[in-house]
C-alpha cells in the first residue's frame, strides 16, 4: 500500500510541472514571462482540481486523508459507466447537490483559461475536447486509487463546467470587442 499525503502530492505535481516547463523552455529556446504567467493560472487551476478530486473533504482528527494506492483493493476497479444512475445515490441529498455543483464549478476556470493560453483552443469544440480529455485523464488515474470511483457522471459534469467556462470567456471576449 502506498499513501501519499496532500503535501507530498502537491510537491510531486509541482516538480512534474517545473520539469515539463523546463524541458519546454529548452526545446523552444525562448522564455516569455507573459506566457509563463498565464501558465501559472493553469498550474493553480490544476492544483485546485487535484486537491479536491484526490484528497476528499472529510478529515479524521482534522487531518486530510492521504491518497491511497493499494492494488488488492483496486481490482476489480470501481467504475460507473451508466450516466446519471448513481448521481443522487447519497444518504444526505445535500451531498448529491454538493457533488454536482462541485464537479461543474471545479472545471469552469479550465474553460476560461484554455482558450486564453492556446490559440488552437479558441473554439467551442476544441475547448470541449481538451476539457473532456483532462477530465478523462483524472477518471483514468482514479482507477488506480482504492478510495475513488471512476464515474461517467464526473466526466459529464466536469465537461459541462468547461463548457460554462468557455461561454463566460466567449461573452467577455465579445464585450471587449464591442467596447
Amino acid at each position: 500500500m502506498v499513501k501519499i499525503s496532500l503535501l507530498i502530492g502537491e510537491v510531486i505535481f509541482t516538480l512534474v510541472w517545473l520539469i515539463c516547463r523546463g524541458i519546454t523552455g529548452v526545446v523552444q529556446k525562448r522564455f516569455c514571462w507573459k506566457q509563463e504567467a498565464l501558465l501559472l493560472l493553469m498550474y493553480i487551476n490544476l492544483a485546485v482540481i487535484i486537491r479536491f478530486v484526490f484528497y476528499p473533504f472529510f478529515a479524521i482528527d482534522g487531518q486530510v486523508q492521504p491518497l491511497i494506492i493499494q492494488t488488492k483493493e483496486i481490482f476489480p476497479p470501481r467504475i460507473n459507466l451508466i450516466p446519471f444512475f448513481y448521481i443522487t445515490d447519497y444518504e444526505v441529498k445535500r451531498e448529491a447537490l454538493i457533488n454536482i455543483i462541485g464537479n461543474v464549478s471545479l472545471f469552469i476556470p479550465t474553460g476560461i483559461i484554455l482558450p486564453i493560453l492556446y490559440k488552437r483552443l479558441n473554439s467551442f469544440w476544441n475547448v470541449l475536447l481538451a476539457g473532456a480529455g483532462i477530465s478523462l485523464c483524472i477518471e483514468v488515474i482514479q482507477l488506480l486509487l482504492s478510495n475513488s470511483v471512476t464515474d461517467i457522471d464526473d466526466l459529464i459534469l466536469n465537461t459541462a463546467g468547461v463548457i460554462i467556462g468557455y461561454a463566460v470567456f466567449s461573452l467577455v471576449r465579445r464585450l471587449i470587442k464591442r467596447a
Side-chain angles (χ1 to χ4, degrees):
M1 170 173 36
V2 176
K3 290 185 178 183
I4 303 172
S5 70
L6 176 58
L7 176 63
I8 298 300
E10 290 172 345
V11 168
I12 291 169
F13 174 66
T14 301
L15 288 175
V16 168
W17 181 270
L18 291 173
I19 290 168
C20 290
R21 294 306 314 139
I23 291 170
T24 302
V26 169
V27 169
Q28 292 181 350
K29 297 179 183 173
R30 66 180 175 90
F31 185 84
C32 176
W33 284 103
K34 182 180 176 184
Q35 181 73 7
E36 290 303 317
L38 290 172
L39 284 166
L40 184 59
L41 287 175
M42 183 53 99
Y43 165 81
I44 293 167
N45 178 47
L46 292 174
V48 169
I49 290 171
I50 288 168
R51 163 57 180 98
F52 287 111
V53 170
F54 296 118
Y55 296 93
F57 287 113
F58 61 87
I60 298 173
D61 298 327
Q63 299 292 319
V64 174
Q65 294 304 296
L67 192 67
I68 300 172
I69 302 172
Q70 188 173 10
T71 55
K72 69 180 180 181
E73 291 184 16
I74 295 173
F75 296 103
R78 298 182 328 176
I79 303 173
N80 171 31
L81 296 175
I82 305 168
F84 305 116
F85 190 74
Y86 296 106
I87 200 159
T88 59
D89 197 19
Y90 290 86
E91 289 180 25
V92 179
K93 294 303 177 192
R94 180 174 164 259
E95 291 178 9
L97 186 61
I98 290 170
N99 178 54
I100 293 167
I101 293 171
N103 273 299
V104 172
S105 63
L106 199 56
F107 276 78
I108 291 173
T110 306
I112 297 169
I113 296 169
L114 285 174
I116 293 171
L117 272 175
Y118 304 105
K119 293 189 187 307
R120 291 182 188 167
L121 297 179
N122 206 359
S123 75
F124 172 81
W125 291 109
N126 290 343
V127 171
L128 181 132
L129 290 173
I134 292 169
S135 181
L136 181 63
C137 287
I138 290 169
E139 294 305 316
V140 169
I141 290 169
Q142 286 182 326
L143 286 171
L144 302 173
L145 308 177
S146 60
N147 59 347
S148 294
V149 176
T150 298
D151 195 340
I152 189 72
D153 297 341
D154 292 347
L155 181 63
I156 293 167
L157 294 170
N158 296 346
T159 304
V162 170
I163 292 168
I164 293 168
Y166 183 73
V168 169
F169 166 80
S170 296
L171 179 65
V172 170
R173 181 175 60 182
R174 283 191 189 121
L175 291 174
I176 289 172
K177 283 183 180 180
R178 287 183 185 170

